[in-house]
Amino acid sequence: MAKITLDNLAHSYLPKPVTEDDFALKELNLDWSDGEAYALLGASGCGKSTLLNIISGLLHPSQGRILFDDKDMTMAPTTQRNIAQVFQFPVVYDTMTVRDNLAFPLRNRGADPAYIQTRVQQIAAMIGMEDTLNRKARGLTADAKQKISLGRGMVREDVNALLFDEPLTVIDPHMKWELRTQLKSLHHEFGHTMIYVTHDQTEALTFADKVVVMYDGRVVQMGTPQELFETPEHTFVGYFIGSPGMNLMDADVKGDKAVIGGVEIALGKGFGTPTGKVELGVRPEFTSLQAGDSGLPVTIKRVEDVGRHKIVRTDFQGTEINVIAPEGGEISPDMNRIVFDTAGVNVYSDSWRVAPKVA
Ligand code: ADP
Ligand code: MG
């Protein structure tokens, strides 16, 4: 197992990239700690597979280095990296039995036959395929073949890292949950470094210790689920994570005051004088409705009861501001002001979070 370091890494699929737009992966520096479970989260096309394939060696980066425990592996072939990778769609040997498919990575490395026998049995139990071990893979459903691919990815105990690229796409919803749980327990048992790619925030937040959020070829934040919730470093993290996502409002910020649509509010801490496009970001969990005449005047558009709480959708001068209100609380017509809990107020300048000034 190894710590993985990406040093000044960038990748373009073009032979002669010129502008930043030519790069599928913009320059990044990142450390992946040994033994941690990561989720790589972002919308389709943001560069997740590109990044994963560079780590496994399927792709050589056009710029920068990749290190395993400080050893330069940038040009090392996949075989030397000792990494198991599972893809979105099944990769199985059709003419082999399920058993031989699962045993393949172990036989390839000359493992002891008795060990192979036991280990294959364990893995078959994890993916729920003990009864089909002697069947040929040909003719199995896509779902079953993908489970074999997953099993093959998990069979070796001595890998540096396990990479999963949206592995549950073709798996039926019930089995998805089951397999994700298995992956988590595999992580607890063996402590491999794991990187799990997904575009689904729930999947990312339930699987990983740390989530790496990508947007438009850039890693915009690596953090615990709590950090992504409390201090999104980029507005994308704010609105991509959460349901509903973070409220964003254009604002003029000076010190500890903001003016939003002509209304001044207190921020609770100082932010200097941010420049560029300045926005206030406040999650619906830190936003509440009240009667009276302080706060932002809004119109209530809709109240959604989602069980644990209510989501109140309001309009402030054409901008939607969402509020999460307690399940039992009454929403009366005179509650037409929005106030923010200053603990949850973030300020953004050109989409990036401005650190509050320490008093
Ligand atoms: P994701 O896995 O997040 O959906 P990808 O890493 O597959 O994103 O793609 C990132 C960007 O690189 C996309 O704009 C995609 O079209 C482009 N891209 C991916 N693979 C290739 C390739 N082999 N050749 C050229 N462009 C590619
Ligand atoms: Mg992809």
Side-chain angles (χ1 to χ4, degrees):
M1 281 172 264
K3 172 185 89 173
I4 299 171
T5 305
L6 307 179
D7 173 33
N8 271 314
L9 196 82
H11 188 70
S12 173
Y13 287 100
L14 302 176
K16 288 199 183 78
V18 186
T19 66
E20 207 174 44
D21 281 349
D22 294 340
F23 284 83
L25 200 61
K26 319 297 192 236
E27 191 171 293
L28 71 109
N29 290 284
L30 208 59
D31 277 331
W32 310 75
S33 310
D34 185 13
E36 199 128 36
Y38 294 95
L40 188 52
L41 175 69
S44 171
C46 71
K48 304 182 296 296
S49 295
T50 302
L51 181 53
L52 215 62
N53 293 342
I54 288 175
I55 294 175
S56 67
L58 291 175
L59 202 61
H60 292 296
S62 26
Q63 178 198 308
R65 298 187 309 156
I66 158 160
L67 314 170
F68 288 6
D69 282 338
D70 301 321
K71 184 166 175 254
D72 192 338
M73 300 294 276
T74 316
M75 284 304 159
T78 49
T79 46
Q80 274 177 28
R81 299 192 189 201
N82 214 2
I83 279 180
Q85 188 170 7
V86 178
F87 303 91
Q88 196 166 2
F89 299 103
V91 183
V92 296
Y93 304 104
D94 263 340
T95 55
M96 287 188 195
T97 60
V98 173
R99 181 191 306 281
D100 289 342
N101 265 287
L102 293 177
F104 191 81
L106 299 176
R107 289 211 181 106
N108 224 3
R109 303 222 156 210
D112 171 57
Y115 168 75
I116 296 179
Q117 169 82 15
T118 327
R119 183 69 185 148
V120 165
Q121 204 65 45
Q122 276 173 355
I123 293 292
M126 289 180 80
I127 58 175
M129 291 192 75
E130 289 160 295
D131 297 339
T132 26
L133 276 175
N134 296 322
R135 271 195 62 172
K136 289 249 190 328
R138 178 186 293 130
L140 293 175
T141 60
D143 185 277
K145 287 185 181 180
Q146 183 63 359
K147 284 195 262 169
I148 302 174
S149 301
L150 264 172
R152 255 210 340 247
M154 302 189 291
V155 78
R156 286 179 50 210
E157 298 172 52
D158 60 342
V159 289
N160 276 322
L162 275 162
L163 312 183
F164 300 97
D165 196 348
E166 313 211 32
L168 305 183
T169 309
V170 298
I171 302 281
D172 88 77
H174 168 72
M175 196 65 198
K176 253 186 198 164
W177 183 85
E178 173 79 31
L179 286 174
R180 203 162 0 106
T181 310
Q182 295 283 13
L183 289 179
K184 259 199 109 121
S185 66
L186 185 83
H187 180 254
H188 283 297
E189 194 179 343
F190 292 108
H192 290 125
T193 308
M194 283 192 182
I195 306 178
Y196 185 99
V197 171
T198 176
H199 58 264
D200 177 339
Q201 59 157 319
T202 312
E203 210 166 85
L205 297 170
T206 51
F207 174 77
D209 309 322
K210 286 218 176 115
V211 180
V212 179
V213 185
M214 287 188 73
Y215 171 63
D216 193 20
R218 244 181 261 280
V219 169
V220 286
Q221 189 166 4
M222 177 191 268
T224 61
Q226 190 181 351
E227 285 163 346
L228 301 182
F229 179 79
E230 288 175 358
T231 48
E233 288 301 329
H234 190 278
T235 51
F236 177 76
V237 179
Y239 67 75
F240 193 67
I241 291 174
S243 60
M246 176 179 262
N247 296 306
L248 287 166
M249 297 144 273
D250 289 335
D252 278 321
V253 171
K254 228 182 229 125
D256 60 357
K257 301 254 185 315
V259 177
I260 308 172
V263 184
E264 185 177 283
I265 62 165
L267 299 175
K269 47 204 167 226
F271 290 90
T273 319
T275 52
K277 179 177 165 62
V278 179
E279 291 166 287
L280 218 60
V282 190
R283 290 201 178 273
E285 289 82 352
F286 294 97
T287 307
S288 53
L289 271 171
Q290 63 179 37
D293 48 22
S294 62
L296 303 180
V298 296
T299 349
I300 296 178
K301 293 191 298 181
R302 211 164 61 242
V303 180
E304 295 163 22
D305 204 324
V306 294
R308 287 157 295 140
H309 53 245
K310 290 174 186 159
I311 300 170
V312 188
R313 306 214 178 248
T314 76
D315 176 82
F316 171 70
Q317 300 178 8
T319 300
E320 183 175 71
I321 301 180
N322 298 314
V323 179
I324 287 188
E327 166 64 3
E330 201 52 41
I331 313 284
S332 61
D334 63 338
M335 294 168 81
N336 53 8
R337 295 282 178 159
I338 286 233
V339 289
F340 300 126
D341 174 352
T342 53
V345 170
N346 287 291
V347 173
Y348 295 90
S349 155
D350 291 331
S351 302
W352 292 96
R353 181 169 175 268
V354 179
K357 302 266 180 282
V358 185

